[in-house]
Amino acid sequence: MWRKGLVIFSLILLLLVLPSIAQLKGKIEIFSWWTAGGEAEGLQALFDIFHKKYPDVEIINATVAGGAGANAKAVLKTRMLGGDPPDTFQVHAGHELIDTWVKTGFMEPITFIYKQEGWTKVMPKGILDIVSYNGEYWSVPVNIHRANVLWYNKKIFNENNLLPPKTFDEFFKVAEALKEKGIIPLALGTKDGWEAAHVFETVLIGKLGAEGYKGLWDGRTKWSDPRVTDALETFKKMLTYVNPDHSARTWDEACALLVEGKAAMNIMGDWAVGYFLAKGFNDFGWYSAPNNADIFDALSDSFGLPKGVKNRENVIAFLKILGSKEGQEAFNIKKGSIPARTDVDASKFPAYQQATMKYWQTYKIVPSVMHGAAASEGWVTEFKDVISLFVVRPDVKTTQKALVNIAVKQGVKQ
């Protein structure tokens, strides 16, 4: 008799569970720019989890290639303004999310998901703050990236008895030694237009320090500051050590020069780890970009819920996976970033990410401008364009004047 009762109880329990798995049908369109090695694998890991839980929902992987969303953001803007939002889309937490899409009324708050899933207890305040506005949460941070990392080919450094440079003076000594050996000192790709500005961002941090750099975005530091002049002069000198074909390469194609043993160093965010590991390249080392020691230049990728989407319930289910322990571990191990959650099992991650989890807890945090955390999208775009022009025509005086004018245009007194 008790066995019959146990069977009935099990059936009832199964019936209670099954609907949550099977009731979702239809489609979900997920818009992102994750197509390169590491990031594509991370995205697929999320899709695998979603498909296992919701096998009747078709995933439409709407990617637009181009690092930092160089091409995707324009496509997204056209769709959003045209009343055709994707079901969910990748957006950098911070100003890019809040200024571009939340304040303008394109997003639904998702505070109810945070309450249901208990995320405010497992995500740090600094991350929760940059996805918040007017007391509501607006997106789910799936990761934390560090942008100011110098990557190097260990074999090249060992064969030439070199140590990774910690300062700008050391960088130029190492670069000169490599150049004399016929090795490209610094791999750079500027094809998508943002990569040079990314490197310059780390030079600004190195010259101004954490507080001085943060002050650029709220007026406490003037763009006419002599340290900005110094940063431009230093960046101009760094550009004399890059590969001559940089304008034909994307960020990952620049990283490929390290993998192939043709270049010794690269300054890029830690999505480079995902690329290296996806290519089976493990002979890489890392250090902070010159003069960036103990500073964590941070950004976070997130996804939200646009108003008026066709598959709202499927999006909510996907967002819950993004914020889950399972989702954050599966994604970030592949992507090269660290989870936004603080309760993950660090031992599952490669050495770089384990180290970065400690950096995140101990270093000074500054927001990345090139990846949407420090300034509005309009400011970021003009900053990117000015530095892209500087790569072609490195006129320090004219460029600094342009950077001053952009800040004024953005309402920051100079």
Side-chain angles (χ1 to χ4, degrees):
M1 187 66 184
W2 67 271
R3 288 182 178 174
K4 186 177 179 182
L6 182 61
V7 170
I8 293 172
F9 175 76
S10 299
L11 287 172
I12 293 173
L13 188 62
L14 191 61
L15 288 171
L16 289 172
V17 172
L18 275 177
S20 66
I21 298 174
Q23 67 186 358
L24 294 180
K25 296 182 179 178
K27 299 179 180 179
I28 178 170
E29 183 187 17
I30 300 166
F31 184 95
S32 79
W33 55 81
W34 285 331
T35 59
E39 54 193 27
E41 285 83 353
L43 184 60
Q44 186 59 49
L46 292 171
F47 289 172
D48 291 344
I49 296 171
F50 184 86
H51 183 69
K52 189 175 179 181
K53 291 181 182 291
Y54 307 105
D56 294 331
V57 179
E58 178 188 354
I59 297 171
I60 300 172
N61 184 15
T63 53
V64 178
N71 305 311
K73 290 176 186 175
V75 176
L76 177 66
K77 184 166 286 185
T78 300
R79 291 190 56 176
M80 294 289 277
L81 296 177
D84 178 33
D87 289 323
T88 186
F89 62 88
Q90 180 186 358
V91 60
H92 290 126
H95 284 275
E96 184 177 312
L97 164 71
I98 302 301
D99 294 355
T100 308
W101 301 119
V102 174
K103 290 182 178 178
T104 48
F106 285 91
M107 306 298 288
E108 274 195 45
I110 55 171
T111 307
F112 66 97
I113 304 180
Y114 275 75
K115 289 180 179 176
Q116 288 172 6
E117 302 299 306
W119 290 341
T120 56
K121 298 175 183 174
V122 295
M123 292 184 187
K125 183 177 182 301
I127 288 297
L128 293 172
D129 285 347
I130 59 175
V131 295
S132 303
Y133 177 69
N134 272 355
E136 300 274 11
Y137 296 112
W138 298 89
S139 71
V140 182
V142 68
N143 64 357
I144 297 165
H145 270 302
R146 187 183 182 205
N148 54 335
V149 186
L150 181 143
W151 308 98
Y152 63 96
N153 181 308
K154 282 185 177 179
K155 184 180 178 185
I156 292 176
F157 269 66
N158 289 337
E159 287 178 347
N160 292 280
N161 296 315
L162 297 171
L163 294 173
K166 299 177 182 177
T167 65
F168 288 110
D169 286 343
E170 291 179 3
F171 172 84
F172 289 120
K173 286 179 183 175
V174 168
E176 194 58 36
L178 290 163
K179 193 173 183 178
E180 288 179 1
K181 296 279 186 177
I183 300 167
I184 299 167
L186 182 64
L188 178 67
T190 58
K191 185 177 180 180
D192 283 337
W194 62 274
E195 302 93 333
H198 177 109
V199 177
F200 181 60
E201 174 177 321
T202 71
V203 179
L204 283 172
I205 294 169
K207 290 295 181 180
L208 280 81
E211 291 306 313
Y213 165 80
K214 287 195 290 186
L216 289 170
W217 314 108
D218 60 18
R220 286 177 294 131
T221 304
K222 308 303 181 193
W223 281 93
S224 56
D225 192 296
R227 292 172 296 174
V228 175
T229 315
D230 189 14
L232 285 165
E233 295 282 7
T234 300
F235 185 49
K236 179 179 178 178
K237 187 175 178 182
M238 291 172 77
L239 291 172
T240 64
Y241 292 100
V242 305
N243 43 299
D245 65 344
H246 60 82
S247 62
R249 290 179 179 269
T250 57
W251 72 268
D252 49 319
E253 290 168 342
C255 289
L257 291 172
L258 263 70
V259 176
E260 296 162 2
K262 296 177 180 175
M265 298 181 284
N266 174 244
I267 295 174
M268 186 45 61
D270 51 18
W271 42 93
V273 172
Y275 175 82
F276 291 147
L277 297 180
K279 297 297 179 184
F281 178 63
N282 293 289
D283 201 22
F284 66 90
W286 70 88
Y287 201 78
S288 299
N291 282 33
N292 276 237
D294 301 332
I295 299 175
F296 195 118
D297 186 17
L299 62 125
S300 176
D301 295 296
S302 72
F303 287 77
L305 177 59
K307 289 180 179 175
V309 295
K310 298 168 186 170
N311 302 290
R312 186 175 182 277
E313 294 307 311
N314 293 346
V315 176
I316 291 169
F318 181 68
L319 295 180
K320 288 182 177 179
I321 288 173
L322 292 186
S324 71
K325 202 171 175 180
E326 179 186 17
Q328 299 232 332
E329 288 180 349
F331 173 77
N332 286 289
I333 286 173
K334 300 284 187 183
K335 184 67 162 61
S337 45
I338 61 174
R341 294 180 68 120
T342 56
D343 60 342
V344 298
D345 183 354
S347 67
K348 293 181 180 178
F349 286 76
Y352 172 78
Q353 281 114 309
Q354 289 190 31
T356 304
M357 290 179 194
K358 294 176 183 174
Y359 303 156
W360 174 248
Q361 297 295 328
T362 56
Y363 284 9
K364 297 174 184 172
I365 309 296
V366 301
S368 167
V369 62
M370 204 48 253
H371 301 280
S376 65
E377 189 175 349
W379 196 341
V380 174
T381 299
E382 293 200 69
F383 173 79
K384 170 184 69 98
D385 291 344
V386 165
I387 299 304
S388 290
L389 182 60
F390 182 77
V391 173
V392 180
R393 194 175 63 189
D395 182 328
V396 171
K397 187 176 179 180
T398 301
T399 302
Q400 188 165 11
K401 187 176 180 181
L403 291 170
V404 170
N405 290 338
I406 294 169
V408 172
K409 188 177 173 182
Q410 293 296 324
V412 175
K413 191 175 179 181
Q414 297 292 299

